[in-house]
Amino acid sequence: MATVESTFHKFRPVCVSVLNQPSVDNLRQLHQLIQSVKKEDIKTLAEYVIFPLRVILVKYNYEGTKFCDKKVLEAALDCAILAFSKVYIVKFDILKDFITQLCLTINPSNNSKAKTKDKPAAGVYEEIKVKVIECIRCITNATDPKIWKMLYSEDVIPVMGHLISSLLLLIEKEKLIKLRIAAIECLLQISSLTEDEDVKTPYSDVNKPQKSISIALSVFIPGISTTLGKVIVDTVNHYQNVAVTAIRALSLFISFTMHNDFLPMEAQDISLSTFYEIINNNSSKDKQLPVNLQQNNRTLSHPKRDIEWFKTTSSKLKILLSQIAQFTSCPNFKIRLALAKFSTRLLFTCIRSLKESIVVLMEILVALSYDEYDEIRNYCQEKLALLPEYFNKQPEAISMMDLLEENIMSNIIALPRLFTVPDDKKQLVTINVLCGYLTLLGNRLNSFLSSQNHLSRLSIALMQILEFQKSSAGITDIGPTLLESVNTSYENSHEYPRKLFKHVISENVEMSIKRLCRTIGQYGDFDLLIDYYTGLLRDSSYYRKQALFVLNEILAGAALSGAKITNVHKPLIRNTARNLLMEYLSPIWWNLQKNALIDAELHESIEDKLYIVNKREIVENDERFSGIVLQCLLLEGLANIAKFFIDDAVYFLRLGLYLLLEKLDNEIMLINRTSYITITNICNTFRYRSIPDVIGSNIDYLVNAIALNLRNLHEYERSLKVLRVILEYGTKDTLPILEDSILEMYNLLDNSTELYPAVIAVLFSVTNAIGRWFKTSEIRENESSTTISDNRFQTSEESPNEVKMFAIEYWKSRNLTDSDGEDDTDVVDDAENEEIVDDEEVTKEKPLHVQIVLQVMDKCANFLTSNEFHFRVKLLEIIRNCLLCLSTFENELLPAVHKIWKPFTWRFVDGNITVQIKAMEVLSVMSQLCGDFLQRRISKEIIPIACKYLIAQANTSTKCEFNSYKFTREYKLQMAMLENFATIFAKIHPLKSDYTEVAFAAIHYLSIKQPVTLQQAGIKLLSILSQHESDLIWFILHDMYTGESLQHSDPLFRPIRMSSPKEVGADYATNILQLLLTCE
């Protein structure tokens, strides 16, 4: 008692001063005093302490700023917040009065006197509003629950209405985010909805709200739901925190007023035990009798919440919920997570009272069950898994499956119309919802699709939205073939080329459609689906590609279902899979119309490809593209079918591997790449490590098929493609098995000119494969250790036997060089040969790959005179590969070079410059490998032709503009000759006359009028020549630079003057001077 009196004496003067003269200093003193007093001491004096604050609010609301300014009011609110945090309100009058005055403070528009004082609502400061809301929340916490519950009584319901409307006005109109969120939280708190715990179990009564408050809030639910819905729509794209809070609040209000437990029981039969239980519990005010047992004992006279009221409210809320459900595609993940919890709360608390909105709420969960964020996706999938059991346990036995089937059909019907409008977000949501519905059906999907009406409607909808775009397949679809493209561009890729659809633009939408089809395959009847879509594939040419696309995804989904492949169903499924495999391998699907693009495979440049394309008549682009897409889809389907043959891989590979390898060498890049990825996936399915592994395991079958088809006129081209792929991907262990097929191919080359392109391509693959298998290294300009001639001119000390061997080899090479096509005879004595060459080497048989390379070179020598220039180019590339393969077999290399030399030299006067360029590149490789063996041949037959061209073309290149001239073949030939002569002269030892002739030709390119690249090539060539004949090159350059003869000091010597090609001008001086300095 003494403590209370002492506390009263402390507060009395301060409270009196605040009451008589409200000022910031007095209020600050009161604030400090309240803060210093303990909570227990101030409880008794609660009314005395808050009375001055109550008077300030009343006078301010009626007199406005004439009574006090903003700072005084703000200080008074601070004192009130602190006071209510320490006192305990037990009188309803104090609660009612304070609530009323605080509402007038933030919303004075209802106070007519306030209007006369020039204090409109817009003039209330945001700081005041924030403190008022904080003060209301403190009052809520400080009030006895029984006293607070009296606000929901019929007599004072206007006070609660004033408070709720004031808060809703702040939520809707204010711009300050903090204020709007605080108002929403305050609205939840005064409604006893502060806890936002998720529904732990759908059947527990832990979250059951108090019915009396729920009935009272029914009066305000229209205004609350409308305002919060408007706030959500307005803020979802800009103020996400406000929208998230509003979504949470709306879900709590709706679940609070529309809870399943509050539905009337008039339609239910009440047992006797239930009747007595209700009578015994009637003393509790929180419990109520069912409506059919109530008479005049209602505690509140609020709107009659009968069945009709719930139906009317539910129908109105459906409009709002449908509007909110559109935001499932919102980019902000917080909004999507809030919507998922919103839908979950209403489904698990108001499923019977919101029957009309069940579809909307389920669509939210289903659409978000495929969200990109794991938290949202896992949450929705977890709640969807609980829904079927929850539906079954409802008193009215709501048939969830019937609802799902209705929703599925409505979505299927709307699907084609939706895809006519390019709205990716709507399309994605609709497909995800449909996929989620089918997933919820689960095993009942069988019975759903057993209906002809359902299956046909679903299929037609998929056919319409999956219509492929009629795109043209141009020159870029040819591209490089197997050797140049597959191993470099996409060997590590596991994704098929994306298809182009007419209505599906977004890749996410395409993935959702694939997921939908896989869901159908996972839960649907396998035999029924395969039979239906196979029939659609055969019968409908318009829907053929779409049906194949859907069928592939159904196969992928069926392979994911472990329940499908049981011991009981395995024979049936395997039989169906075998029939489907035969359908996919049917020749009618693989015969594309021939067109000019297919003939462009062996052409080198883009100009040649365009020439061939424009040369012949091409079929319509859309038909051609349709055939390409069809083959790609068939290849993708084979990879899915393979998953059903894991236990019978041999059967699948014997039927399908040959075709897959054939398509791997297809000239169209889309088919080429799809085939590669398909074979890779099949290797993974059958646990092969790589494509060479699967080829090696089935090489006997493949070679046998090639041998049989090579005897069939119509199968030549296919067999050669498969042979080429085997050579590309096989290992050297397959070479002995392929020997007979290669020999058979030679016969084709001799007997049929139509197969030249395919056979030449295979020859190229043979030489490439041998070079790769037996580790043939490329020849580089700066490598000298790999050439034969380098070993002959080493300056290190040699033994007598080595000198003798060198002499014999030298005479042998010289005799072979001088023969020029005559019979090769050895001029070395037999006795000397027997001393040097071991008998075992003479009798040793040539390796198989060497024999094959020699045979290939023989064929190339015979066909180098072909009329088709692109054949000649390809044959020269093959010769280059053969030379590299024989680089370590000198005894076979030199005679082979001698044999092809004569037709090879004719390529330097070929009518096509591309052939001449390629011949120059091959000559460079020859010179590096054969060395001085080619010295006289090059000097006699190559150098005069090349120098003549260089001199003649030099005049042309000085007059042309470089930007356009550098793309011509003449320029490329000039560069090839200058660069390769630099390599050739570094590897062989030509005559001095050759040095002079080449130097005179190269000097023409020292003019600064020549393109810079040609100048650099000419300077490089002369620099290399000067390394071997520095005096000769110096004399030539000096004579051109000065134009004067060299006079010896002794008059007995004649003046020396070189036979310069022409008088040079100042444009040569710079480069000649640079070379002279280099020579010196």
Side-chain angles (χ1 to χ4, degrees), residues 671-689:
I671 300 177
N672 189 304
R673 178 177 180 179
T674 304
S675 178
Y676 178 85
I677 300 174
T678 297
I679 298 177
T680 304
N681 292 337
I682 290 173
C683 290
N684 295 334
T685 301
F686 295 146
R687 297 183 180 180
Y688 287 103
R689 291 172 295 179

Side-chain angles (χ1 to χ4, degrees), residues 813-955:
S813 301
R814 183 170 180 178
N815 182 68
L816 189 59
T817 304
D818 294 340
S819 62
D820 290 332
E822 300 176 359
D823 295 338
D824 299 334
T825 56
D826 197 350
V827 298
V828 186
D829 293 339
D830 293 339
E832 293 178 348
N833 282 337
E834 290 176 359
E835 294 176 2
I836 299 171
V837 182
D838 194 355
D839 292 338
E840 295 181 359
E841 292 186 5
V842 175
T843 59
K844 186 177 180 180
E845 186 178 359
K846 299 175 184 177
L848 176 61
H849 71 278
V850 174
Q851 298 178 27
I852 294 176
V853 170
L854 292 175
Q855 294 170 0
V856 172
M857 288 195 70
D858 289 341
K859 296 297 178 182
C860 291
N862 295 334
F863 293 98
L864 266 179
T865 57
S866 172
N867 294 330
E868 297 290 339
F869 80 91
H870 54 273
F871 289 169
R872 300 195 296 272
V873 171
K874 203 70 175 181
L875 288 169
L876 288 172
E877 291 183 355
I878 296 172
I879 291 173
R880 177 183 178 276
N881 292 339
C882 292
L883 294 173
L884 294 174
C885 294
L886 296 175
S887 60
T888 56
F889 297 90
E890 181 184 352
N891 292 335
E892 288 75 22
L893 173 64
L894 299 182
V897 171
H898 171 71
K899 191 171 183 179
I900 68 168
W901 181 257
K902 185 58 67 176
F904 173 68
T905 56
W906 294 341
R907 297 311 106 216
F908 290 92
V909 292
D910 195 281
N912 189 280
I913 295 180
T914 303
V915 178
Q916 297 181 40
I917 296 172
K918 185 61 65 175
M920 204 68 205
E921 295 174 359
V922 175
L923 179 64
S924 176
V925 176
M926 274 188 186
S927 64
Q928 294 181 70
L929 292 174
C930 301
D932 286 338
F933 174 74
L934 298 177
Q935 183 262 323
R936 291 193 179 185
R937 298 172 185 263
I938 294 175
S939 175
K940 180 181 179 181
E941 302 180 45
I942 306 299
I943 291 179
I945 298 173
C947 292
K948 182 179 179 182
Y949 177 82
L950 288 173
I951 294 172
Q953 194 63 29
N955 296 328

Side-chain angles (χ1 to χ4, degrees), residues 30-36 42 49-50 53 76-87 134-135 138:
L30 178 60
H31 187 279
Q32 294 175 355
L33 185 59
I34 295 173
Q35 192 173 13
S36 63
I42 201 174
V49 172
I50 63 177
L53 305 176
L77 290 173
D78 287 335
C79 290
I81 292 171
L82 182 61
F84 284 119
S85 65
K86 292 191 174 186
V87 302
E134 187 179 355
C135 186
C138 290

Side-chain angles (χ1 to χ4, degrees), residues 992 996 999-1000 1003 1026 1029-1048 1055-1061 1072 1075-1076 1079-1080:
K992 287 190 177 182
T996 304
F1000 283 166
I1003 284 173
S1026 66
E1029 291 291 341
S1030 58
D1031 293 340
L1032 176 63
I1033 301 303
W1034 187 89
F1035 278 125
I1036 295 173
L1037 294 174
H1038 180 272
D1039 186 51
M1040 292 189 65
Y1041 185 70
T1042 61
E1044 301 176 355
S1045 59
L1046 296 174
Q1047 181 66 48
H1048 197 273
I1056 299 176
R1057 182 173 179 82
M1058 303 299 294
S1059 300
S1060 301
I1072 291 178
L1075 284 169
L1076 285 172
C1079 293
E1080 292 178 356

